[in-house]
Amino acid sequence: MARVAQYTLDVTDVDRMATFWSAALGYRVEQGGDGSAKLYPPPDAIGAPTVWLQGSGTPKRDKNRLHLDLVADGEAADEVDRLVKLGARPADVGQTGEEGFVVLADPEDNEFCVLDGPPRRH
């Protein structure tokens, strides 16, 4: 059995994206000597994956095939507002408005979702 240990995201501006994602997730940033950055979860986030921001010379082209689903400690709407103030923006990937999540895009247009609550088993 495998577990998610790290989420890797190709970015063009490592510093900008490290600033955004570290503030969004409450992660600590460690800059790599190779133009990358690794984001580490807080000590109380047991089992949370790290995030590796890998410098890339190319911008994102299409909709992500894999994305993060975030859940807020408080109200989802408040978290969406906070993330927008950090630099995210609403994104339309074909949702109807009836979903239990809001789709946002980070400063380099990578989509992610803020769930209304924790994922549930069906």
Side-chain angles (χ1 to χ4, degrees), residues 35-51:
S36 69
K38 187 159 278 187
L39 282 60
Y40 293 96
D44 62 344
I46 298 167
T50 59
V51 177

Side-chain angles (χ1 to χ4, degrees), residues 18 21-29 38-42 45 47-51:
W21 281 111
S22 65
L25 300 173
Y27 278 30
R28 175 180 58 83
V29 177
K38 187 159 278 187
L39 282 60
Y40 293 96
T50 59
V51 177

Side-chain angles (χ1 to χ4, degrees), residues 66-79:
L66 179 68
H67 66 268
L68 293 173
D69 285 340
L70 307 180
V71 63
D73 290 335
E75 294 295 321
D78 293 339
E79 185 62 10

Side-chain angles (χ1 to χ4, degrees), residues 22-103:
S22 65
L25 300 173
Y27 278 30
R28 175 180 58 83
V29 177
E30 193 171 292
Q31 294 288 345
D34 60 354
S36 69
K38 187 159 278 187
L39 282 60
Y40 293 96
D44 62 344
I46 298 167
T50 59
V51 177
W52 184 34
L53 301 176
Q54 177 175 268
S56 168
T58 59
K60 178 183 169 290
R61 291 191 191 153
D62 299 312
K63 180 182 177 295
N64 297 8
R65 297 288 303 260
L66 179 68
H67 66 268
L68 293 173
D69 285 340
L70 307 180
V71 63
D73 290 335
E75 294 295 321
D78 293 339
E79 185 62 10
V80 168
D81 289 343
R82 185 183 79 85
L83 292 166
V84 168
K85 288 176 184 166
L86 290 173
R89 64 171 182 72
D92 183 356
V93 295
Q95 62 270 36
T96 66
E98 300 297 318
E99 297 83 5
F101 55 85
V102 172
V103 181

